[in-house]
Amino acid sequence: MANITKKVSWSSRPDETGATGETTPLLNGSEQPRHSRQMSGEGAIFHIGRHGAGDLEEEMTTEEEFLRGRPKEIPHNEKLLSLKFESLDYDNIENQLFLDEERRMSYMGFRCLEISRWVICALIGFLTGLIACFIDIVVEQVAKVKYNVIKENIETFTEAGGLSISLILWAVLNCSFVIVGAILVAFFEPIAAGSGIPQIKCYLNGVKIPRVVRLKTLVVKVCGVICSVVGGLAVGKEGPMIHSGGVVAAGVSQGRSTSLKRDFKIFEYFRRDTEKRDFVSAGAAAGVSAAFGAPVGGVLFSLEEGASFWNQMLTWRIFFASMISTFTLNFVLSVYHKKPGELSNPGLINFGRFESDSLAYTFYEIPLFIAMGAELLLCLMSAVLFCRYVHRPCLQVMEATLVAAVTAAVSFTMIYFSNDCQPLAPDNTEVYQLQLFCADGEYNSMATAFFNTPEKSVTSLFHDQPGTYNPLTLGLFTLTYFFLACWTYGLAVSAGVFIPSLLIGAAWGRLCGILLASIFSSSSTWADPGKYALIGAAAQLGGIVRMTLSLTVILVEATGNVTYGLPIMLVLMTSKIVGDYFQEGLYDIHIKLQSVPFLHWEAPATSHWLTAREVMSSPVTCLNKIEKVGTIVDILSNTSTNHNGFPVVVQVMEGDVPAKLCGLILRSQLIVLLKHKVFVELARSRLTQRKLLLKDFRDAYPRFPPIQSIHVSQDERECMMDLTEFMNPTPYTVPQETSLPRVFKLFRALGLRHLVVVDDENRVVGLVSRKDLARYHLGKHGLEELHLAQT
Amino acid sequence: MSSLFSTSLMSSFPEDLEISGYCKELLFFFKQRYVTFVDCLILAARPVKVCQNCSSSYSRLQDIYRNISDQVGPGNESCRDSLLSSDRLMVVYQLYSNLQDLWTSSNCEKCINNRSHSLTNDTLNFLSTLNQTLTCFEKYQLGNHTELCKSCKKMYGDVNKLYGRMEKNDTMCIDLEDAMNMTRRLWSKNFNCSLPRDETVPVLAVSSFMLFLPVIFYLSSFLHSEQKKRKLIHPNRARSYTRLMNIQDKQS
């Protein structure tokens, strides 16, 4: 207990006593239910609290009680957990209805289910691939129009004078695209901002992020990505593909769309969190594989970043989805490029092939590669995240627009003042080359880097001949682009961070290669800076996202050269080690800033001394097996507690005496029960009433109506409800002495949402939920505790 | 010499393995035309005039090779196997395919009429325009270069435009490319007629204005908005634990 650092304890602080607190609603759960009990007048609910000696209660002074109830306000920081986020129910509820259904289902039924899982995975892969194609083609076409317009304009004005007008034209074009994208994101679906990878990560971890897998999010995301990439921001379209894949998966697997109000009456069995999660992880994998042309990398991404659970059959199915997605993208793009059947366009970003002899590396280069991995530029990037004061949508749109304008202005100025002219290569027809003040027949090499979609720039950094860029150009480009990328990250536009980091990395990697070549000019091994660009890109990306296995495989697959596996792995290792020394990965910082109760791979070290008794919430709101409707409605509509799982006990006792546990019931189930008015009295009077099936629960999923929308009359409040059939009769329980890591392992591996803590007579003493576990983390001063906050 | 001869192959092979007189004849013609073509190529190497000078000799070489590989001679006799592929070295084949590659990469077909083996109208047109420009250059070469830049600008621009159009139409061969490159180098490097960078001030002004906008934006939004406060929630815990924590707080 001694090594836990608590910045603010829950107990009283002397300087807080002056403030008014009477009218503030009591937010402390331990007080609130007392009121409700008084309201209901009857002792139907009780709070099984405090275990141990009874004399402890007296020591709590009335003033402390009063203060504990008043919310304390602090500025937003990364050491908070938000109450907004709920968990997903990954645990299967084996209640009576479930068993009945299983008994009714034939052997063929199960076979069909298995087959339909495969069909869904194929559909996920196919649709994800199509979305990737759509984004790719639209971006390419619109960017072509945009750059050609600007190019022609610049060409005319270079001769006639008035280049500042071209600058303004460029800025205005950029801004207009970005405004559209930012308005879509800021006003219609704020959750679509950014790459969506942190959100999908949270979803697969078991946190329900509101609106993250909706159709509307997908539409906004796709349009937003197109706008922001065409708008010339320092962003890529790869990250959002992962989110898009996830949304597609969540949509397809449900066989209906709540947004469009269409129910296709298929795949009804999959309408629950467990099944949906499996498909979402397949979707994320399909997204990665479409983005990078890396099916294996996609599967490993799901494994590493996403799922807290895993099974072999699922892996195989996810791989299937990934493969289908890559293949679809490949095929459609081959038709688009008018070479149908030539399947050589895997991935949105094509690194091109690294196969020539000059790109081979020798063993003595490996230490060099490792040294490159150790270089770091990312610390600044995360710092930028912290100082975003802009919250209102219209301001966010303005901010994005300004960034777009500045990006254009900076790029133009760099190009304008660059003296680096290179002769035209014969086959570079897809790149937009600007001549500007270069001699005729030459082009401005700064413009190849800036005046292009980021994907093209990356490829040209990897593959252009040695001598295409001079060191000064590369250095300036790296620096400028780095600041732009930092600034752009966190804007209210949907865009990824993969490509900007690859681009920055490739630029400084190439710079290193050129410098090395100039130092050791005798040896021909140093000749090609392309491989250094690749290594630099890997180091930079690894330093930013901190993925290990999956990123290695993704990069190896994207380059199509297995022999690069070793250096890429070493580089990623080094950059992760060095990076972790300074900062967490970008996605983790993002998750922390969102105050998401995220469960990491393992419980914090040195936490074995914490037991379930200290971790759990107590007292617990329990329900009787046969409970009065009025009580249930009161508990559910209590906005301050907003519990989601209620242990069902044999008989709630008077006072705070714990009662014997016999099951667990969820808020969503109770709401469905109330909606269908499954009351004991009604069942008696109407004998013909249809028995409630599991289907009714599935139909309400995933948007269960709020309790306010369910009307319960005064008479009905006096009815009784029998929960026996619907509750989960065998919830997971632990004794009070269980250590935190043990509880953590249960949560992480089983995807639990509630874990009941019982005493030796199976009486409920507390309830552990995700937020209780996620608040412990290892800080600089040992184990720290995060605060819960309302947002 | 005599010793060399003595060790070389003296006796001839049986008749069916020897190459026939007809094939020998073909081989001789091939040699002649090959040498002519290579002569022409080397002479036209710099400045490149390959397409203009050597297309006819290339087509003749092509003919004889076609004779060797496809045609059937008197007595239904084909020299294809005996000349082209009866040994590992395949001298005839290799020599020819090297030149063929060279010719393909020169893109000369684009500038030459297939039937008449003469330059296409487009090419001739371009060459004449280019020649006019070069004459213009010559005229002003000795004087002030700024005058040259001014006087020949229109002609040079026309050539450039024409070149661009032909590039887009994909009717471009190495001769034209090389000629254009030389002209461009003359224009920009020797005569220094490239465009001057004389708009630094307006460009800088506009871009610094744009850079200044975000500063204002962030300053104002920083001053006008307050950060959202978060309400802390006190979770309900077992009493014993709370009490322990209180004690710890008091101690520390």
Side-chain angles (χ1 to χ4, degrees), chain A residues 6 9 59 68 72 74 162-163 399 440 487 790-791, chain B residues 156 197 199 218 230-234 236 243 245-246 249:
Chain A
K6 290 182 62 66
S9 84
E59 288 181 20
R68 264 160 46 81
K72 186 170 148 47
I74 60 159
L163 270 177
E399 191 190 15
D440 285 350
W487 191 22
Q790 220 172 24
T791 34
Chain B
Y156 178 73
R197 186 179 302 167
E199 289 176 72
Y218 282 115
R230 308 285 166 182
K231 282 180 185 165
L232 283 191
I233 307 286
H234 306 292
N236 21 341
R243 200 176 130 264
M245 296 309 296
N246 288 344
D249 271 358

PDB file of all heavy atoms in Angstrom, chain A residues 6 9 59 68 72 74 162-163 399 440 487 790-791, chain B residues 156 197 199 218 230-234 236 243 245-246 249:
ATOM      1  N   LYS A   6      -0.825   8.763  -4.808  1.00  0.00           N
ATOM      2  CA  LYS A   6      -2.140   9.343  -5.063  1.00  0.00           C
ATOM      3  C   LYS A   6      -2.028  10.849  -5.072  1.00  0.00           C
ATOM      4  O   LYS A   6      -1.681  11.474  -4.101  1.00  0.00           O
ATOM      5  CB  LYS A   6      -3.136   8.912  -3.988  1.00  0.00           C
ATOM      6  CG  LYS A   6      -3.490   7.439  -4.089  1.00  0.00           C
ATOM      7  CD  LYS A   6      -4.511   7.070  -3.057  1.00  0.00           C
ATOM      8  CE  LYS A   6      -5.785   7.829  -3.265  1.00  0.00           C
ATOM      9  NZ  LYS A   6      -6.455   7.469  -4.495  1.00  0.00           N
ATOM     10  N   SER A   9      -6.712  12.328  -3.303  1.00  0.00           N
ATOM     11  CA  SER A   9      -7.445  11.202  -2.742  1.00  0.00           C
ATOM     12  C   SER A   9      -8.921  11.561  -2.743  1.00  0.00           C
ATOM     13  O   SER A   9      -9.323  12.673  -3.025  1.00  0.00           O
ATOM     14  CB  SER A   9      -6.967  10.898  -1.340  1.00  0.00           C
ATOM     15  OG  SER A   9      -7.623  11.739  -0.441  1.00  0.00           O
ATOM     16  N   GLU A  59     -16.816   5.893  12.035  1.00  0.00           N
ATOM     17  CA  GLU A  59     -15.660   6.779  11.995  1.00  0.00           C
ATOM     18  C   GLU A  59     -15.731   7.803  10.864  1.00  0.00           C
ATOM     19  O   GLU A  59     -15.029   8.790  10.870  1.00  0.00           O
ATOM     20  CB  GLU A  59     -14.388   5.957  11.844  1.00  0.00           C
ATOM     21  CG  GLU A  59     -14.077   5.222  13.107  1.00  0.00           C
ATOM     22  CD  GLU A  59     -12.803   4.420  12.968  1.00  0.00           C
ATOM     23  OE1 GLU A  59     -12.005   4.736  12.077  1.00  0.00           O
ATOM     24  OE2 GLU A  59     -12.625   3.497  13.764  1.00  0.00           O
ATOM     25  N   ARG A  68     -17.343  14.038   0.067  1.00  0.00           N
ATOM     26  CA  ARG A  68     -17.125  12.973  -0.891  1.00  0.00           C
ATOM     27  C   ARG A  68     -18.155  13.005  -2.005  1.00  0.00           C
ATOM     28  O   ARG A  68     -17.905  12.568  -3.109  1.00  0.00           O
ATOM     29  CB  ARG A  68     -17.185  11.625  -0.176  1.00  0.00           C
ATOM     30  CG  ARG A  68     -15.837  11.095   0.214  1.00  0.00           C
ATOM     31  CD  ARG A  68     -15.959  10.069   1.313  1.00  0.00           C
ATOM     32  NE  ARG A  68     -17.013   9.098   1.080  1.00  0.00           N
ATOM     33  CZ  ARG A  68     -16.871   8.043   0.297  1.00  0.00           C
ATOM     34  NH1 ARG A  68     -15.752   7.848  -0.331  1.00  0.00           N
ATOM     35  NH2 ARG A  68     -17.853   7.190   0.144  1.00  0.00           N
ATOM     36  N   LYS A  72     -15.327  17.254  -7.896  1.00  0.00           N
ATOM     37  CA  LYS A  72     -14.190  18.155  -7.887  1.00  0.00           C
ATOM     38  C   LYS A  72     -13.812  18.348  -9.341  1.00  0.00           C
ATOM     39  O   LYS A  72     -13.838  17.422 -10.124  1.00  0.00           O
ATOM     40  CB  LYS A  72     -13.061  17.450  -7.139  1.00  0.00           C
ATOM     41  CG  LYS A  72     -11.848  18.238  -6.902  1.00  0.00           C
ATOM     42  CD  LYS A  72     -10.994  17.418  -5.940  1.00  0.00           C
ATOM     43  CE  LYS A  72      -9.522  17.635  -6.165  1.00  0.00           C
ATOM     44  NZ  LYS A  72      -9.077  18.975  -6.296  1.00  0.00           N
ATOM     45  N   ILE A  74     -11.236  19.367 -12.302  1.00  0.00           N
ATOM     46  CA  ILE A  74      -9.839  19.571 -12.653  1.00  0.00           C
ATOM     47  C   ILE A  74      -9.736  19.693 -14.165  1.00  0.00           C
ATOM     48  O   ILE A  74     -10.614  19.240 -14.887  1.00  0.00           O
ATOM     49  CB  ILE A  74      -8.944  18.409 -12.163  1.00  0.00           C
ATOM     50  CG1 ILE A  74      -9.400  17.101 -12.800  1.00  0.00           C
ATOM     51  CG2 ILE A  74      -8.934  18.296 -10.673  1.00  0.00           C
ATOM     52  CD1 ILE A  74      -8.322  16.062 -12.794  1.00  0.00           C
ATOM     53  N   GLY A 162       3.799  37.078 -61.728  1.00  0.00           N
ATOM     54  CA  GLY A 162       2.602  36.958 -60.907  1.00  0.00           C
ATOM     55  C   GLY A 162       2.468  35.590 -60.287  1.00  0.00           C
ATOM     56  O   GLY A 162       1.384  35.039 -60.199  1.00  0.00           O
ATOM     57  N   LEU A 163       3.604  35.048 -59.845  1.00  0.00           N
ATOM     58  CA  LEU A 163       3.559  33.716 -59.245  1.00  0.00           C
ATOM     59  C   LEU A 163       2.796  33.686 -57.942  1.00  0.00           C
ATOM     60  O   LEU A 163       2.327  32.639 -57.499  1.00  0.00           O
ATOM     61  CB  LEU A 163       4.976  33.193 -59.016  1.00  0.00           C
ATOM     62  CG  LEU A 163       5.565  32.403 -60.166  1.00  0.00           C
ATOM     63  CD1 LEU A 163       6.977  32.018 -59.861  1.00  0.00           C
ATOM     64  CD2 LEU A 163       4.731  31.176 -60.424  1.00  0.00           C
ATOM     65  N   GLU A 399      -9.459  25.776 -38.295  1.00  0.00           N
ATOM     66  CA  GLU A 399      -8.096  25.343 -38.041  1.00  0.00           C
ATOM     67  C   GLU A 399      -7.582  24.483 -39.189  1.00  0.00           C
ATOM     68  O   GLU A 399      -6.482  24.700 -39.710  1.00  0.00           O
ATOM     69  CB  GLU A 399      -8.049  24.555 -36.731  1.00  0.00           C
ATOM     70  CG  GLU A 399      -6.657  24.282 -36.237  1.00  0.00           C
ATOM     71  CD  GLU A 399      -6.653  23.302 -35.085  1.00  0.00           C
ATOM     72  OE1 GLU A 399      -7.674  22.639 -34.864  1.00  0.00           O
ATOM     73  OE2 GLU A 399      -5.617  23.196 -34.407  1.00  0.00           O
ATOM     74  N   ASP A 440      15.723  24.823 -69.121  1.00  0.00           N
ATOM     75  CA  ASP A 440      14.785  24.003 -69.871  1.00  0.00           C
ATOM     76  C   ASP A 440      15.289  22.575 -69.921  1.00  0.00           C
ATOM     77  O   ASP A 440      16.488  22.335 -70.042  1.00  0.00           O
ATOM     78  CB  ASP A 440      14.643  24.538 -71.296  1.00  0.00           C
ATOM     79  CG  ASP A 440      13.809  25.802 -71.302  1.00  0.00           C
ATOM     80  OD1 ASP A 440      13.215  26.098 -70.250  1.00  0.00           O
ATOM     81  OD2 ASP A 440      13.782  26.486 -72.332  1.00  0.00           O
ATOM     82  N   TRP A 487       1.711  19.092 -36.992  1.00  0.00           N
ATOM     83  CA  TRP A 487       0.627  20.050 -36.824  1.00  0.00           C
ATOM     84  C   TRP A 487      -0.674  19.468 -37.347  1.00  0.00           C
ATOM     85  O   TRP A 487      -1.749  19.653 -36.773  1.00  0.00           O
ATOM     86  CB  TRP A 487       1.009  21.326 -37.566  1.00  0.00           C
ATOM     87  CG  TRP A 487       0.127  22.479 -37.290  1.00  0.00           C
ATOM     88  CD1 TRP A 487      -0.684  22.668 -36.209  1.00  0.00           C
ATOM     89  CD2 TRP A 487      -0.022  23.623 -38.115  1.00  0.00           C
ATOM     90  NE1 TRP A 487      -1.317  23.850 -36.307  1.00  0.00           N
ATOM     91  CE2 TRP A 487      -0.945  24.465 -37.474  1.00  0.00           C
ATOM     92  CE3 TRP A 487       0.524  24.014 -39.323  1.00  0.00           C
ATOM     93  CZ2 TRP A 487      -1.329  25.685 -38.010  1.00  0.00           C
ATOM     94  CZ3 TRP A 487       0.149  25.227 -39.848  1.00  0.00           C
ATOM     95  CH2 TRP A 487      -0.760  26.055 -39.206  1.00  0.00           C
ATOM     96  N   GLN A 790     -16.172  12.735 -15.350  1.00  0.00           N
ATOM     97  CA  GLN A 790     -17.333  12.763 -16.218  1.00  0.00           C
ATOM     98  C   GLN A 790     -17.014  13.613 -17.424  1.00  0.00           C
ATOM     99  O   GLN A 790     -16.407  14.658 -17.301  1.00  0.00           O
ATOM    100  CB  GLN A 790     -18.492  13.378 -15.453  1.00  0.00           C
ATOM    101  CG  GLN A 790     -19.774  12.696 -15.729  1.00  0.00           C
ATOM    102  CD  GLN A 790     -20.841  13.208 -14.819  1.00  0.00           C
ATOM    103  OE1 GLN A 790     -20.741  14.310 -14.323  1.00  0.00           O
ATOM    104  NE2 GLN A 790     -21.861  12.422 -14.608  1.00  0.00           N
ATOM    105  N   THR A 791     -17.415  13.181 -18.582  1.00  0.00           N
ATOM    106  CA  THR A 791     -17.187  14.014 -19.761  1.00  0.00           C
ATOM    107  C   THR A 791     -18.467  14.145 -20.541  1.00  0.00           C
ATOM    108  O   THR A 791     -19.252  13.234 -20.569  1.00  0.00           O
ATOM    109  CB  THR A 791     -16.124  13.400 -20.696  1.00  0.00           C
ATOM    110  OG1 THR A 791     -16.252  12.002 -20.615  1.00  0.00           O
ATOM    111  CG2 THR A 791     -14.767  13.840 -20.282  1.00  0.00           C
TER     112      THR A 791
ATOM    113  N   TYR B 156      11.992  30.142 -80.335  1.00  0.00           N
ATOM    114  CA  TYR B 156      12.334  29.102 -79.362  1.00  0.00           C
ATOM    115  C   TYR B 156      11.075  28.564 -78.690  1.00  0.00           C
ATOM    116  O   TYR B 156      10.911  27.359 -78.496  1.00  0.00           O
ATOM    117  CB  TYR B 156      13.298  29.680 -78.325  1.00  0.00           C
ATOM    118  CG  TYR B 156      13.674  28.704 -77.243  1.00  0.00           C
ATOM    119  CD1 TYR B 156      14.540  27.650 -77.498  1.00  0.00           C
ATOM    120  CD2 TYR B 156      13.163  28.826 -75.947  1.00  0.00           C
ATOM    121  CE1 TYR B 156      14.875  26.753 -76.508  1.00  0.00           C
ATOM    122  CE2 TYR B 156      13.482  27.940 -74.959  1.00  0.00           C
ATOM    123  CZ  TYR B 156      14.339  26.897 -75.239  1.00  0.00           C
ATOM    124  OH  TYR B 156      14.667  26.005 -74.280  1.00  0.00           O
ATOM    125  N   ARG B 197      14.382  34.910 -61.323  1.00  0.00           N
ATOM    126  CA  ARG B 197      13.536  34.799 -60.131  1.00  0.00           C
ATOM    127  C   ARG B 197      13.334  36.206 -59.584  1.00  0.00           C
ATOM    128  O   ARG B 197      14.125  36.695 -58.788  1.00  0.00           O
ATOM    129  CB  ARG B 197      14.228  33.904 -59.113  1.00  0.00           C
ATOM    130  CG  ARG B 197      13.387  33.609 -57.896  1.00  0.00           C
ATOM    131  CD  ARG B 197      14.114  32.701 -56.962  1.00  0.00           C
ATOM    132  NE  ARG B 197      14.471  31.432 -57.633  1.00  0.00           N
ATOM    133  CZ  ARG B 197      15.317  30.567 -57.122  1.00  0.00           C
ATOM    134  NH1 ARG B 197      15.899  30.802 -55.985  1.00  0.00           N
ATOM    135  NH2 ARG B 197      15.585  29.453 -57.763  1.00  0.00           N
ATOM    136  N   GLU B 199      10.243  37.557 -58.418  1.00  0.00           N
ATOM    137  CA  GLU B 199       8.999  37.861 -57.715  1.00  0.00           C
ATOM    138  C   GLU B 199       9.104  37.493 -56.248  1.00  0.00           C
ATOM    139  O   GLU B 199       8.120  37.158 -55.596  1.00  0.00           O
ATOM    140  CB  GLU B 199       7.867  37.056 -58.330  1.00  0.00           C
ATOM    141  CG  GLU B 199       7.502  37.546 -59.687  1.00  0.00           C
ATOM    142  CD  GLU B 199       6.438  36.644 -60.257  1.00  0.00           C
ATOM    143  OE1 GLU B 199       5.314  36.718 -59.780  1.00  0.00           O
ATOM    144  OE2 GLU B 199       6.763  35.861 -61.136  1.00  0.00           O
ATOM    145  N   TYR B 218      -4.649  30.861 -33.289  1.00  0.00           N
ATOM    146  CA  TYR B 218      -4.387  30.150 -32.037  1.00  0.00           C
ATOM    147  C   TYR B 218      -4.379  31.091 -30.850  1.00  0.00           C
ATOM    148  O   TYR B 218      -4.866  30.743 -29.781  1.00  0.00           O
ATOM    149  CB  TYR B 218      -3.067  29.379 -32.128  1.00  0.00           C
ATOM    150  CG  TYR B 218      -3.216  28.110 -32.907  1.00  0.00           C
ATOM    151  CD1 TYR B 218      -2.574  27.923 -34.107  1.00  0.00           C
ATOM    152  CD2 TYR B 218      -4.039  27.104 -32.438  1.00  0.00           C
ATOM    153  CE1 TYR B 218      -2.720  26.768 -34.827  1.00  0.00           C
ATOM    154  CE2 TYR B 218      -4.210  25.936 -33.154  1.00  0.00           C
ATOM    155  CZ  TYR B 218      -3.548  25.776 -34.351  1.00  0.00           C
ATOM    156  OH  TYR B 218      -3.715  24.625 -35.061  1.00  0.00           O
ATOM    157  N   ARG B 230     -13.052  18.801 -16.081  1.00  0.00           N
ATOM    158  CA  ARG B 230     -13.643  17.477 -15.927  1.00  0.00           C
ATOM    159  C   ARG B 230     -14.090  17.321 -14.484  1.00  0.00           C
ATOM    160  O   ARG B 230     -13.358  17.652 -13.560  1.00  0.00           O
ATOM    161  CB  ARG B 230     -12.633  16.404 -16.263  1.00  0.00           C
ATOM    162  CG  ARG B 230     -11.968  16.583 -17.581  1.00  0.00           C
ATOM    163  CD  ARG B 230     -12.879  16.215 -18.697  1.00  0.00           C
ATOM    164  NE  ARG B 230     -12.316  16.722 -19.947  1.00  0.00           N
ATOM    165  CZ  ARG B 230     -12.896  16.609 -21.119  1.00  0.00           C
ATOM    166  NH1 ARG B 230     -14.066  16.041 -21.204  1.00  0.00           N
ATOM    167  NH2 ARG B 230     -12.336  17.078 -22.203  1.00  0.00           N
ATOM    168  N   LYS B 231     -15.282  16.780 -14.356  1.00  0.00           N
ATOM    169  CA  LYS B 231     -15.749  16.526 -12.999  1.00  0.00           C
ATOM    170  C   LYS B 231     -15.225  15.187 -12.541  1.00  0.00           C
ATOM    171  O   LYS B 231     -15.407  14.174 -13.213  1.00  0.00           O
ATOM    172  CB  LYS B 231     -17.279  16.501 -12.980  1.00  0.00           C
ATOM    173  CG  LYS B 231     -17.893  17.875 -13.010  1.00  0.00           C
ATOM    174  CD  LYS B 231     -19.401  17.756 -12.991  1.00  0.00           C
ATOM    175  CE  LYS B 231     -20.024  19.123 -13.137  1.00  0.00           C
ATOM    176  NZ  LYS B 231     -21.449  19.017 -13.465  1.00  0.00           N
ATOM    177  N   LEU B 232     -14.600  15.193 -11.422  1.00  0.00           N
ATOM    178  CA  LEU B 232     -14.099  13.926 -10.890  1.00  0.00           C
ATOM    179  C   LEU B 232     -15.244  13.177 -10.236  1.00  0.00           C
ATOM    180  O   LEU B 232     -16.104  13.767  -9.603  1.00  0.00           O
ATOM    181  CB  LEU B 232     -13.014  14.179  -9.862  1.00  0.00           C
ATOM    182  CG  LEU B 232     -11.650  14.556 -10.411  1.00  0.00           C
ATOM    183  CD1 LEU B 232     -10.650  14.509  -9.286  1.00  0.00           C
ATOM    184  CD2 LEU B 232     -11.232  13.589 -11.489  1.00  0.00           C
ATOM    185  N   ILE B 233     -15.233  11.883 -10.394  1.00  0.00           N
ATOM    186  CA  ILE B 233     -16.256  11.057  -9.780  1.00  0.00           C
ATOM    187  C   ILE B 233     -15.573  10.235  -8.700  1.00  0.00           C
ATOM    188  O   ILE B 233     -14.469   9.748  -8.878  1.00  0.00           O
ATOM    189  CB  ILE B 233     -16.842  10.076 -10.817  1.00  0.00           C
ATOM    190  CG1 ILE B 233     -17.295  10.831 -12.039  1.00  0.00           C
ATOM    191  CG2 ILE B 233     -17.935   9.258 -10.217  1.00  0.00           C
ATOM    192  CD1 ILE B 233     -18.536  11.605 -11.857  1.00  0.00           C
ATOM    193  N   HIS B 234     -16.254  10.124  -7.607  1.00  0.00           N
ATOM    194  CA  HIS B 234     -15.672   9.289  -6.563  1.00  0.00           C
ATOM    195  C   HIS B 234     -16.314   7.939  -6.627  1.00  0.00           C
ATOM    196  O   HIS B 234     -17.506   7.796  -6.393  1.00  0.00           O
ATOM    197  CB  HIS B 234     -15.914   9.919  -5.201  1.00  0.00           C
ATOM    198  CG  HIS B 234     -15.437  11.323  -5.153  1.00  0.00           C
ATOM    199  ND1 HIS B 234     -14.118  11.649  -5.217  1.00  0.00           N
ATOM    200  CD2 HIS B 234     -16.118  12.474  -5.097  1.00  0.00           C
ATOM    201  CE1 HIS B 234     -13.991  12.959  -5.179  1.00  0.00           C
ATOM    202  NE2 HIS B 234     -15.187  13.490  -5.125  1.00  0.00           N
ATOM    203  N   ASN B 236     -17.469   4.277  -5.523  1.00  0.00           N
ATOM    204  CA  ASN B 236     -17.741   3.724  -4.204  1.00  0.00           C
ATOM    205  C   ASN B 236     -16.904   2.498  -3.986  1.00  0.00           C
ATOM    206  O   ASN B 236     -16.860   1.610  -4.828  1.00  0.00           O
ATOM    207  CB  ASN B 236     -19.207   3.399  -4.007  1.00  0.00           C
ATOM    208  CG  ASN B 236     -19.923   3.226  -5.303  1.00  0.00           C
ATOM    209  OD1 ASN B 236     -19.438   3.690  -6.335  1.00  0.00           O
ATOM    210  ND2 ASN B 236     -21.030   2.548  -5.293  1.00  0.00           N
ATOM    211  N   ARG B 243     -10.882   3.988   4.389  1.00  0.00           N
ATOM    212  CA  ARG B 243     -10.351   4.424   5.666  1.00  0.00           C
ATOM    213  C   ARG B 243      -8.829   4.258   5.683  1.00  0.00           C
ATOM    214  O   ARG B 243      -8.099   5.154   6.092  1.00  0.00           O
ATOM    215  CB  ARG B 243     -11.003   3.602   6.776  1.00  0.00           C
ATOM    216  CG  ARG B 243     -10.892   4.265   8.117  1.00  0.00           C
ATOM    217  CD  ARG B 243     -11.647   3.463   9.144  1.00  0.00           C
ATOM    218  NE  ARG B 243     -10.803   3.232  10.306  1.00  0.00           N
ATOM    219  CZ  ARG B 243     -10.103   2.138  10.492  1.00  0.00           C
ATOM    220  NH1 ARG B 243     -10.129   1.185   9.601  1.00  0.00           N
ATOM    221  NH2 ARG B 243      -9.378   1.999  11.584  1.00  0.00           N
ATOM    222  N   MET B 245      -6.865   4.434   3.242  1.00  0.00           N
ATOM    223  CA  MET B 245      -6.272   5.472   2.422  1.00  0.00           C
ATOM    224  C   MET B 245      -6.230   6.785   3.177  1.00  0.00           C
ATOM    225  O   MET B 245      -5.272   7.534   3.102  1.00  0.00           O
ATOM    226  CB  MET B 245      -7.064   5.666   1.124  1.00  0.00           C
ATOM    227  CG  MET B 245      -7.079   4.483   0.206  1.00  0.00           C
ATOM    228  SD  MET B 245      -5.454   3.835  -0.143  1.00  0.00           S
ATOM    229  CE  MET B 245      -4.758   5.230  -0.986  1.00  0.00           C
ATOM    230  N   ASN B 246      -7.302   7.047   3.920  1.00  0.00           N
ATOM    231  CA  ASN B 246      -7.319   8.279   4.698  1.00  0.00           C
ATOM    232  C   ASN B 246      -6.179   8.313   5.689  1.00  0.00           C
ATOM    233  O   ASN B 246      -5.496   9.314   5.835  1.00  0.00           O
ATOM    234  CB  ASN B 246      -8.640   8.405   5.456  1.00  0.00           C
ATOM    235  CG  ASN B 246      -9.764   8.724   4.511  1.00  0.00           C
ATOM    236  OD1 ASN B 246      -9.491   9.133   3.374  1.00  0.00           O
ATOM    237  ND2 ASN B 246     -10.981   8.521   4.950  1.00  0.00           N
ATOM    238  N   ASP B 249      -3.069   9.063   3.925  1.00  0.00           N
ATOM    239  CA  ASP B 249      -2.974  10.483   3.573  1.00  0.00           C
ATOM    240  C   ASP B 249      -2.543  11.322   4.749  1.00  0.00           C
ATOM    241  O   ASP B 249      -1.719  12.210   4.641  1.00  0.00           O
ATOM    242  CB  ASP B 249      -4.337  10.983   3.096  1.00  0.00           C
ATOM    243  CG  ASP B 249      -4.479  10.783   1.613  1.00  0.00           C
ATOM    244  OD1 ASP B 249      -3.500  10.290   1.016  1.00  0.00           O
ATOM    245  OD2 ASP B 249      -5.553  11.095   1.082  1.00  0.00           O
TER     246      ASP B 249
END
